[in-house]
Amino acid sequence: MTRTTPSPAVRAATRQGVSVAVATGLYGVSFGALSVAAGIGVLPTMVLSLLMFSGGSQFALVGVVAAGGSPLAAVATSALLGTRNTLYGAVVSPLLGSRGPLRLAAAHVTIDESTAVSVAQRDRQAARVGFWTAGLGVFVLWNAFTLAGALAGDALGDPRRWGLDAAAAAAFLGLVWPRLASRTAQVVAAVAVVLSAALVPVVPPGVPVLAAAASAIVVGLWAGRRAGPGEATGVQQVLTREGEA
């Protein structure tokens, strides 16, 4: 039986997916510890990680609970922040082409990390491998370390002193940085950063993220209309190559 050797692009996507999954999964320790410290039991904490599975939304919910907010406010805040995942779905769905139960599984692991790794690739196969490697890897490790943090509780101390909060951000920066070579990407990033930074002090959690995403879409559409075929977006380039293959 002949074994097919993965292409260099697929191997690179796998490495990126694993590294992002490890960096993000480790930060689950922080969520588990903070959730239990906020008065949420170990079992509810694990249910949140398994079913909600969106780190930003989970932290938002725990933050509201820890501050004494109502359950309705906690759910509303986390739901607002989680709506960004619908934007991610619109981006990765054409790349994955999943159907049936696999589509439901893909929807559940469509998060910041899986989307970032997927769209960073230059062909569709690598995009798919990167998506599933990061998505499933984060799911397994995030839940495992959430349980560890929930069980450790106060014995862990402040997880930020271990630098876990910076690990995921560093992994994202490593993915994003090479994609900022074009003028369009630089403009999108600058507008998103300025807008979100301006909104953080004056609007509820989640709104700055959504506003930044919306601004990126607007700038991207505007730039796409002005750009020539050689300046297509990363997703467009992947789909174009697939169509030409």
Side-chain angles (χ1 to χ4, degrees), residues 2-215:
T2 302
R3 299 180 61 182
T4 302
T5 302
S7 67
V10 169
R11 292 198 297 269
T14 302
R15 290 194 298 270
Q16 291 176 8
V18 170
S19 63
V20 168
V22 171
T24 305
L26 286 172
Y27 196 37
V29 171
S30 178
F31 171 72
L34 292 175
S35 181
V36 171
I40 301 175
V42 174
L43 181 58
T45 295
M46 291 308 303
V47 170
L48 279 175
S49 275
L50 286 167
L51 300 183
M52 181 179 286
F53 188 53
S54 179
S57 296
Q58 292 175 227
F59 277 110
L61 186 147
V62 169
V64 172
V65 171
S70 68
L72 181 60
V75 171
T77 301
S78 61
L80 177 63
L81 189 56
T83 56
R84 74 192 189 281
N85 289 4
T86 61
L87 301 176
Y88 299 158
V91 172
V92 300
S93 181
L95 297 176
L96 300 178
S98 301
R99 296 290 184 270
L102 191 61
R103 187 179 182 89
L104 294 178
H108 193 56
V109 296
T110 297
I111 53 176
D112 304 306
E113 293 78 9
S114 58
T115 302
V117 174
S118 180
V119 301
Q121 311 311 315
R122 295 187 174 275
D123 66 68
R124 180 171 287 190
Q125 183 184 12
R128 289 171 174 170
V129 170
F131 175 88
W132 288 109
T133 302
L136 296 177
V138 172
F139 183 80
V140 171
L141 294 177
W142 177 266
N143 282 283
F145 283 103
T146 292
L147 178 60
L151 295 176
D154 294 337
L156 181 66
D158 186 354
R160 289 175 296 182
R161 71 179 180 174
W162 302 98
L164 298 180
D165 55 334
F172 268 108
L173 182 60
L175 285 173
V176 171
W177 191 260
R179 302 184 66 81
L180 296 180
S182 70
R183 181 61 58 86
T184 299
Q186 294 168 5
V187 172
V188 169
V191 171
V193 168
V194 171
L195 182 60
S196 59
L199 291 177
V200 164
V202 296
V203 298
V207 174
V209 176
L210 296 177
S215 70

